[in-house]
Every structure is written in C-alpha cells, then in structure tokens.
Amino acid sequence: MASRANHRVLVGCTLLCAAALLCSGVTILAAAEGPSPSPVATSNFPVASDARLAGDARQTRFVLDLDRTVQFRAFTLADPYRVVVDLPQVSFELPAGVGIAGRGLVKAFRYGLVMPGGSRIVFDLTGPARIAKSYVLPAANGQPPRLVLELEEVDRTSFVQSLAPENRPELKPAIADATGSIVAQVQAPAPLRPAAPDSRPVIVIDAGHGGVDNGTQASGESEKNLVLGFALALRDRIEKNGKYRVVMTRTDDTFIPLDDRVKIARNQSASLFVSIHADALPRGEGDAQGATIYTLSDKASDAEAERLAEAENKADAIGGVNLTEEPTDVADILIDLARRETRTFSNRFARLLMGEMRNTVRMYKHPLKSAGFKVLKAPDVPSVLVELGYVSNKGDLEHLVSDSWRSRTVGSMAQAIDLFMAKRVARAGATN
Ligand SMILES: [Zn+2]
C-alpha cells in the first residue's frame, strides 16, 4: 500500500515537473479540471510551419520551423529505438506527407497532441542513436525560430546507458503516467462529495488511436478521425435512451496509451468496453471488406487476426510510450476466475453485436475473431474491438465517411448494447 502511495506521489511530481518543463502547466491543469477536455482556442498556440531532415546514417539533423521559441524536452526510448520531443501544444501546419520518408538515422516521424496543452513528435530510428544536441534558435537572418535536434549513431550499450533513469527497464514510463493522470482527471474528476451518484451502468466507448498515432490511412482519410466521429455518434445514440452513462476514452485528437484506455474502463467499473477501429490491408496484399468483431484470446483465431492485433498493439510504440513492462501481478486465482467470466460475457456481446450489425452492415466473411489485443485486457470488464471496415477497400471507405451508413451502424450497435445490458441486469436481479 505504502509503495503504491509513494508511486502516486512520484507520478504527481512527474506530472508537475513535466508541466513546468512544458512551460504551460497552468494551461494543462486548467484544461484538465474544466468540464470539457477541449483546450483553448487553437490560434493561441505556437505554429510549426515546416520540418526537414538532413545528414546521413552517422549524424542526422532535424529542424522544425516555428513562429516563436518554445521550451521542450527530448529523450530516447528503446525497443523499438525512438526519440521523443515533448512541446507545449503546437499547431502543426506542416506540408502534407512530411515525416513519412526518413533520412539518415530517422526512419520516419509523426507529430500530434498527447494531452491537453502538450504536443509530441516521435521519431522512429533506424538503430540506436543519442541526442548529441537539442536547442531552440531565436529568429535570425531572415530565418524563423527553429527547434533543432542533432542525432548521432551509437552502439546499443551506450544507447541503453544514455536512457533517462525513468525510461530504464525497472521503472514505469513518466510520460505515460503523466498522460494517464491527466486522462483520469479529464474523464473522471474526483467527486468532492458523494452526493447524488450516477448509478447507471457505465459503457466505455474507445475511439482507437489519436494525436501522434494516426492509425491506418488511405485516400487522405485517417483511421483516428473516422473512428472518433463514429465513437461520438455512438455515444450520442446510447445517451439518448438515458439508461447508461457513457464514458469516452478520448473526445478529441489526443494520443491515449493503451493501458490508460483499459484503466479508464476499470476505474469506472464499466459494464462494457467497446473499442472502435478501422482496418487496412497492406498494399499488394489483396482486398478485404466488411466489419469484424474481435474479442481477446491468448491464441489468435487466424493469421489475419494475429497481424491485426500486432498492428493495433503498436499504438504505444507509435505514440512514444516507454514499452518497458511493469512486473506482472502475482498470479491470483480470483483474477483468473473474473477473467474467465469476463471472457464469457465478451463473447456473448460479440455474438449479439454480430446478430444486430449483420442486418444493416456489410460484415467480413468470418466476422467473429479473437487475438491478443492489449486494449481488451481488463480482467473484469467485458470488452470487444470492432473493426468497422477496411479503409483500403473503396466500398468500405465510402461507407466509413457516409452519414447514413454511420447512423445505421451506430443504431445497430446501440441496439446490441441494449440487448446485452438487459440480460445482464435481469441476471443480476435474479441472483439477488
Ligand atoms: Zn486501429
């Protein structure tokens, strides 16, 4: 218990330090405490207008053009090798496609929001490298203010030694904790008094990806945006009937680590967790279409499910979360029992959902599958992940951006949730 409490204090400190470093601590905390997680007007944020890479496989330089100087923090992460730059919230107005092609030590880079008030750039490296120099230059000689990062090739041993203490194997990720704490505050502000609790069952709707993690992309559409639009529409539909309280893991374009999504469901003692995604087949790997419903299993139902789970589980690496595993909990027979019961409920909901969806939506030829999705791992919350369709398929993509398709699909999902919850409530009533 004591170590748990210490850990919380540490997390709090980390958050405050991170906030101070980002020089917008007030903005972050204010945004987190407000009723809506959406930050203040976009126009107040520094603007990043261009980004470029130079150099070779031994030394690579990254330059980001800004409209004013900012404070930042840069650090490295292992397995896979990454460099993360945390900034105060920035409006990225970079040329389309920037970051897809790398150079030298940088394979590719992505950027986006990681929390209200905080942006991040994540670089995938071709191998171990150290941050030789990192600085912000004020405007000079007709050049705008610039953030510069100089990377140098190193061997793995020096790389591991150069990792910040909080990123070394024995400790939890500082940034993931900071993000998590903010998420927890945004999603579930601690009640000041226990008056009039909302006792309705909680349904957690999880829009996949977000912020620095775009998810799959095709024809100018990002999975993160498609699934957010869908998830918000699903929330509105479920809330209409008034029987359930809906909690979203995200309501804007913010990166949320997979663990934090699970934590939100568990902290809310949710009755159901529904994760919304859209799949894509890699180029040259044929065509597939239709919606698929996934549940958790130790062994994937087929190779395709395994590929997908692997791709979805990469979200944390893409978002720049330290992937060092926490020591796993001691095996607990009670957790095991809960997990088994939860899987039964997850499978029941998956079948109900398929029954409802196939009346209105094109389904994949084998629409019920399972694999080791991290986001479905709450031991006590029935969880399913729905791939709405393939953004790589022309017909599916047309559906995904169509209001009438969305409305029909949202309707069938809300219906399935209602059927599932009705049975659970009836069962709970019968056993009391
Ligand atoms: Zn996805």
Side-chain angles (χ1 to χ4, degrees):
M1 244 5 240
S3 74
R4 196 83 200 148
N6 284 340
H7 182 69
R8 288 220 167 271
V9 171
L10 273 173
V11 167
C13 279
T14 315
L15 173 60
L16 286 175
C17 299
L21 266 165
L22 290 171
C23 84
S24 55
V26 176
T27 316
I28 292 174
L29 294 174
E33 282 163 5
S36 152
S38 32
V40 277
T42 324
S43 54
N44 295 337
F45 298 119
V47 174
S49 54
D50 201 5
R52 56 201 169 272
L53 289 162
D56 54 34
R58 307 194 65 175
Q59 288 180 315
T60 307
R61 173 187 291 217
F62 168 79
V63 180
L64 182 71
D65 289 344
L66 296 156
D67 69 344
R68 72 195 84 157
T69 57
V70 295
Q71 283 185 284
F72 71 100
R73 182 169 80 111
F75 56 97
T76 48
L77 290 174
D79 308 327
Y81 296 117
R82 286 155 295 161
V83 168
V84 174
V85 176
D86 277 335
L87 308 148
Q89 187 162 347
V90 166
S91 296
F92 289 100
E93 296 173 10
L94 304 181
V98 73
I100 293 172
R103 177 168 180 158
L105 290 160
V106 175
K107 222 189 283 179
F109 65 88
R110 296 166 301 277
Y111 48 86
L113 206 60
V114 283
M115 63 178 88
S119 289
R120 174 174 292 181
I121 310 172
V122 183
F123 300 84
D124 299 325
L125 303 181
T126 55
R130 72 181 190 98
I131 303 166
K133 281 182 192 161
S134 62
Y135 46 89
V136 168
L137 292 168
N141 305 323
Q143 298 259 39
R146 279 149 293 158
L147 184 155
V148 181
L149 210 60
E150 294 180 13
L151 306 177
E152 256 175 31
E153 183 190 27
V154 289
D155 58 33
R156 180 170 170 90
T157 311
S158 349
F159 179 85
V160 171
Q161 282 165 357
S162 75
L163 289 176
E166 70 268 26
N167 292 337
R168 292 204 186 120
E170 63 276 18
L171 287 171
K172 274 211 74 189
I175 286 298
D177 279 343
T179 313
S181 307
I182 286 175
V183 168
Q185 287 178 47
V186 171
Q187 298 294 339
L192 292 175
R193 48 181 192 280
D198 186 343
S199 61
R200 292 176 299 169
V202 172
I203 313 287
V204 173
I205 306 293
D206 173 50
H209 312 279
V212 70
D213 172 18
N214 292 311
T216 56
Q217 283 175 291
S219 311
E221 299 286 346
S222 287
E223 177 185 359
K224 66 172 182 177
N225 297 329
L226 291 171
V227 299
L228 178 61
F230 188 95
L232 291 169
L234 180 59
R235 173 194 66 185
D236 294 348
R237 185 69 62 100
I238 298 169
E239 277 183 343
K240 245 189 203 171
N241 101 5
K243 284 193 262 185
Y244 317 110
R245 187 160 66 85
V246 179
V247 173
M248 305 287 289
T249 54
R250 70 178 177 102
T251 53
D252 60 12
D253 187 17
T254 305
F255 173 78
I256 314 283
L258 295 173
D259 257 2
D260 289 351
R261 299 171 190 255
V262 174
K263 267 182 220 155
I264 288 168
R266 299 199 67 200
N267 291 343
Q268 296 282 340
S269 305
S271 301
L272 189 60
F273 175 90
V274 183
S275 188
I276 307 290
H277 290 258
D279 201 359
L281 280 189
R283 261 176 210 276
E285 292 203 8
D287 200 10
Q289 60 183 42
T292 315
I293 299 162
Y294 288 89
T295 48
L296 177 68
S297 66
D298 302 322
K299 198 173 169 299
S301 54
D302 58 33
E304 174 66 12
E306 190 162 357
R307 171 200 69 81
L308 181 77
E310 229 169 75
E312 298 293 10
N313 289 347
K314 273 194 192 131
D316 284 348
I318 287 169
V321 174
N322 182 20
L323 302 180
T324 308
E325 301 250 334
E326 269 185 284
T328 40
D329 288 327
V330 184
D332 184 326
I333 192 159
L334 288 175
I335 290 183
D336 250 19
L337 281 172
R339 198 171 274 141
R340 233 177 292 166
E341 198 193 31
T342 299
R343 286 196 188 185
T344 306
F345 281 116
S346 303
N347 292 333
R348 182 180 299 167
F349 175 66
R351 284 194 302 274
L352 277 171
L353 188 56
M354 180 182 69
E356 289 306 310
M357 281 179 78
R358 73 172 160 208
N359 297 325
T360 43
V361 183
R362 180 162 73 180
M363 302 296 287
Y364 183 70
K365 54 189 174 190
H366 312 295
L368 286 186
K369 293 194 186 198
S370 62
F373 293 92
K374 278 190 194 159
V375 80
L376 300 181
K377 286 196 171 164
D380 43 6
V381 181
S383 303
V384 304
L385 181 146
V386 182
E387 296 282 346
L388 295 170
Y390 288 82
V391 294
S392 50
N393 175 270
K394 195 166 168 278
D396 275 9
L397 187 58
E398 276 168 22
H399 286 156
L400 289 167
V401 298
S402 138
D403 284 344
S404 73
W405 182 89
R406 176 191 285 175
S407 167
R408 275 184 287 134
T409 311
V410 156
S412 63
M413 288 178 75
Q415 176 70 16
I417 290 170
D418 212 27
L419 284 171
F420 174 77
M421 292 302 297
K423 276 197 183 168
R424 288 209 76 173
V425 172
R427 192 171 168 275
T431 49
N432 282 345

